[in-house]
Each structure stands twice: as structure tokens, then as C-alpha cells.
Amino acid sequence: MESSPESSITQDFNPFVSTAAPQGMGATGLVYEPLIQFDLANPTQQYPWLATKYAWSNGGKTITFTIRQGVKWNDGTDFTPADVAFTFNYVKAHTDINLGGLQITSATASGDTVTVNFPTAQYMKLEQIAGQAMLPQAVWSKITDPATFTDSTPVGTGPYVLGSFTPEGFTMIRNTHYWSNVPVGRVYFPVYTSNTGALSALYSDQIDWTGNYIPGLQQNFVAKDPAHHHFWEAAGSSNALWPNLTTWPTNQLAVRQAIDVAINRNVLSSEGESGLEAPLTNASGITLPTYQAWLAAEVKDRTLPAAGSAAQAQSILTKAGYTKDSAGFFALNGKEVKVTIVDPAAYTDYAQSGALIAQDLKAAGINATFNGITVNAWNADMASHNFQLALHWSSGGITPYFLFDTWLDQGLISAGQGDFEQLKDATIQADLQKLNGDETVAEQTADLAPIEKYVADNLPVIPTTTAADWFEYSSLHFTGWPTQDNPYDSGQPSGTNNGPGTGSDEVVLLKLQPVSS
């Protein structure tokens, strides 16, 4: 199993340290489990896990979990509701490990239930609440600084325990105390220092499961053994061009509209993303088909030309009073419409897409260039808003709330975690907050409608393609993998594709069956 090339690894399974190699490689979630598992490829699907059920009350300010009985920690001691209550109170007490941003008032255990209280409605935070990694009180109550704790021998309820650990890789073996059947007895996480080494191992069947962006995937992987080599890149979120709304010319709606219609999303999909991410043509940017259930009627038919239209883009600018200058580019009152798209050169798909977009915009009369920079410089520029246009992903989840929240929530600006374009709109802030009080999909869809329409009308971001949950696998040794026809999980083998400190890797591993020799 391989998810993240690493230059070196340390024996640290701390579920609160996202930079620890075992988490990025997908191993931490095999030890630390959540109360509920979520299917990000089919967001209305949930799996009772350490909790057998839950119920909201108090208008979404209280959630009560019924805790599964007969579960043990991997050291053989009992997992109890007291451990669950301790976990939430521990996260509350240590803000630097509160990765889900939970505003917990209190958490108490009674019988086989645990009740967690919040100051405001938290329906949109279900994934962060129920997906929280559960901790053994006997171990973590003795740790005063959990954010820096090196968790070398992790104690969890998960199906695997650490076997051996070396600089070349580590092995997770079956937890004999696990509360359910574990069909795969051993999972090995090899260390590859580059994508090149990892892909070579994948192509030669040394890897069963991986999650990488792979150019030439069909030719280099599938075609070598079509009976066993497969992939499925579920649409987990949406990629978009983020325009800086505080600088010329991207602060002009007509310019954003022209950019929007000029982009050839078909080519971005086929060439920029090697056909692995689909064009986004709904003007709201909502990720389809993943969030089809939340697509508002008001924007259902608001579609964009997938192939783009330079003529339509030019018409928009002309009607807005722009005229072409001597260089053949549009200008307004003597100011040329000139933009630079920035993304990391190392993100080869984004770099290719950025260059393609610049070509599309030039054809539409916009003086556009692409600048490939370092990852560190790009992250710094996004956080400080030192850019004009940039391709960036958004956040996925069990509802499209975090997709739009990442795009539009001005509360994320100062933290450099979202709203990079610097939208500040009081109505949108109120609309986002209102969603936290919506329990049902019908209620959520109704309150998402003005947000989806706002994006379609005002283009605070310009959607481009879906953002894939990368997933490639071989059925040579194991069967039972998730597929587009059986989307019980997205299949992305990372340690962070569910709640804080957990992942859904174990959902897949517990479904797999070894091929008989």
C-alpha cells in the first residue's frame, strides 16, 4: 500500500500530527477509529463504527452516541463510553489538536451513551464530530502536550497494530482483539522517495493499492494487465481558478465572466488532468455527480460551454465597454486586461492546466501568462493573497458545505485556510451559518440555493474540473475493491479522508478478500 512518497519516516502514529509520515501514508487510521465512518464517494451513506447510532437534539446543539459494546483497545483493555467522553473533553482542553475546529461545551458518559454539547447548531460538523479519532483515557490522560507527543506504539481500537518498523518501510499486522473479522492479515507500507519509484513498483505488481496522479495511467498501468490493473478517480471536490477580488483586473465581474466562458474545460480534463478529472460545467461549481442530491433547482440548468468560447468571452468584454489595444488585447480606460496564473511547477497537472488556460485566455483577447513557482512560494502567496489567478482545490466531505465554505467563508482569510480571493459578503456569511442549523438534505439544499446562485452569478471562484480522490489498485492478490458501480468508499488510501486523525482505509481493507492461490 502506497499513498505518499517520503524522503524519510519516523515511528510516530500521533493522530493529531498531519505531517507524521504514517498518517500521510494511510496507516494511522488503521489504529485509531471514529464513531462513524463516512463514504465520501456516496455522501448519504454512513457506517456505524464505534458508535452503533447517534441522535441530534436541542436544535443541533447536542448529539448523543450509543457506543458499541464488546470493543477492546489493542492492549486488551475495554473500550468504554468514558473513553469517548474523555476524547472530546481532551480535544476541547487542547486547542492545538482540535483539528475539526469543534466548539465543544461539554461531553458526558451515561450508561452506554455519550452526549456532546455545543453552543450553536452543528449539523454541518457531523463528519468532524463523529469522525474524531477515539483515544484511550488510560494512555492519553498522562500526556500533557498531545501535539508534540511521539506516539511510537499506538494503542487504538483499529483492526491493525504495528508489527515492524524500519527506514525502508513498516508492517501493520492483524489486531487479535479486534471487534470484527480482519480478512487481510498484513499490510506493508514501503517507503519510496519519489513518485518515479512508487510508479515503477505499481506497474510491476509490487503494490496492490495506491493513490497518485498518474499521467498515462491507461497506457502505463491498465493496458499492461487489464484483467487486474484498475483505477477509479471519484469526484471528491472541485478544482477552481481563484481570482483575487481586490486587484485589477480580476476584481471586475466582466473579466471573470469572460475567463469563465473562455476556458476549454474538455481540454483541461483530457490534457491537464490526463482524463482523470471531469469538466465542471454547472455554473455553481458544485461537484457532480457526488453532490447531485444538493443541486438546487435554481442552478440546475445553469451550464457552461465545456469546450469554451473565445467569441463569447470577447462579446462579454465588448458589451462591458472594453476595447482591444494595439497589441490585440482588451483594455478599459487605457488599462490592459493582463493576468498571471500561478501554481507550483511541481504540481504537473496544475502547471499543465495553467498553461492551457493562459492559451485560452489569449485567444479571447486577455493577455494571460502562466508562472510555475515552488510549492512553498505558492502556499505563501495564496495565504498572503499575493496573486491574480491560481488553480486550487477545495474541501470535500459528506455534504457540499465545506466546498462552498472553503471558497466563500471570510472567517478563513486571516488563517490562510480558504477564501483566498478575499470575498467579504455579509449575506453569504449569514447563509453559510444558517446551514449549520439544517439537519436534512432537503433543508440543506434549500439553504444552499442562494449560495450556489451567488457563485454562478458573481464568480468569486471560477470552477474548472472535478478534484479526484486518487485511487489505483491491482486485483491480482485481493478482490472486493470499491468501484464506480459499487462506491462503498472512494478508495483513496490516505490517512485524512474522513474525520480528524482517522481515515476510511479500514473500510476497504475489511471488505477485501485474498485471492486463492
Side-chain angles (χ1 to χ4, degrees), residues 2-38:
E2 184 273 333
S3 179
S4 172
E6 304 284 345
S7 56
S8 63
I9 61 172
T10 56
Q11 190 171 326
D12 184 3
F13 290 79
N14 188 325
F16 304 113
V17 181
S18 59
T19 56
Q23 186 160 154
M25 296 169 77
T28 303
L30 303 185
V31 176
Y32 290 102
E33 295 189 299
L35 298 174
I36 305 292
Q37 286 279 14
F38 301 96

Side-chain angles (χ1 to χ4, degrees), residues 112-240:
D112 64 349
T113 66
V114 171
T115 299
V116 187
N117 296 299
F118 305 91
T120 59
Q122 297 293 306
Y123 291 121
M124 293 295 102
K125 288 273 191 175
L126 176 62
E127 184 181 349
Q128 285 67 35
I129 298 167
Q132 173 66 53
M134 292 294 109
L135 307 172
Q137 182 174 0
V139 175
W140 287 81
S141 61
K142 301 172 184 176
I143 299 165
T144 57
D145 189 0
T148 61
F149 169 57
T150 300
D151 191 9
S152 58
T153 309
V155 177
T157 59
Y160 294 92
V161 298
L162 180 62
S164 60
F165 197 101
T166 74
E168 290 74 37
F170 58 92
T171 300
M172 307 294 289
I173 58 176
R174 184 185 285 117
N175 173 13
T176 57
H177 298 291
Y178 194 57
W179 52 274
S180 185
N181 180 49
V182 184
V184 179
R186 174 182 177 274
V187 184
Y188 181 57
F189 294 84
V191 172
Y192 297 100
T193 58
S194 69
N195 276 335
T196 302
L199 295 185
S200 177
L202 175 68
Y203 298 157
S204 59
D205 289 320
Q206 297 176 52
I207 292 176
D208 297 289
W209 185 11
T210 190
N212 294 304
Y213 165 66
I214 304 176
L217 180 61
Q218 186 71 39
Q219 177 183 354
N220 296 326
F221 177 57
V222 176
K224 298 293 177 64
D225 186 359
H228 298 107
H229 291 178
H230 310 281
F231 70 91
W232 174 43
E233 320 294 10
S237 184
S238 296
N239 290 314

Side-chain angles (χ1 to χ4, degrees), residues 373-384 386:
I373 58 179
T374 68
V375 174
N376 287 341
W378 183 68
N379 286 331
D381 286 348
M382 294 299 291
S384 64
N386 181 30

Side-chain angles (χ1 to χ4, degrees), residues 12 14 37 48 75 89 126 147 183 201 246 264 267 281 289 328 331 379 406 420 490 495:
D12 184 3
N14 188 325
Q37 286 279 14
D75 62 2
N89 287 317
L126 176 62
T246 68
N264 189 329
V267 173
T281 56
N379 286 331
T406 306
F420 300 115
S490 73

Side-chain angles (χ1 to χ4, degrees), residues 9-91:
I9 61 172
T10 56
Q11 190 171 326
D12 184 3
F13 290 79
N14 188 325
F16 304 113
V17 181
S18 59
T19 56
Q23 186 160 154
M25 296 169 77
T28 303
L30 303 185
V31 176
Y32 290 102
E33 295 189 299
L35 298 174
I36 305 292
Q37 286 279 14
F38 301 96
D39 181 359
L40 300 188
N42 183 20
T44 57
Q45 175 69 59
Q46 301 173 6
Y47 305 113
W49 218 256
L50 294 180
T52 57
K53 61 182 179 180
Y54 67 89
W56 290 101
S57 58
N58 193 24
K61 298 178 183 179
T62 299
I63 188 169
T64 300
F65 295 98
T66 301
I67 307 305
R68 187 180 298 276
Q69 300 298 292
V71 177
K72 292 183 179 295
W73 298 104
N74 60 27
D75 62 2
T77 60
D78 289 337
F79 165 77
T80 69
D83 290 307
V84 177
F86 163 79
T87 298
F88 285 111
N89 287 317
Y90 191 71
V91 168

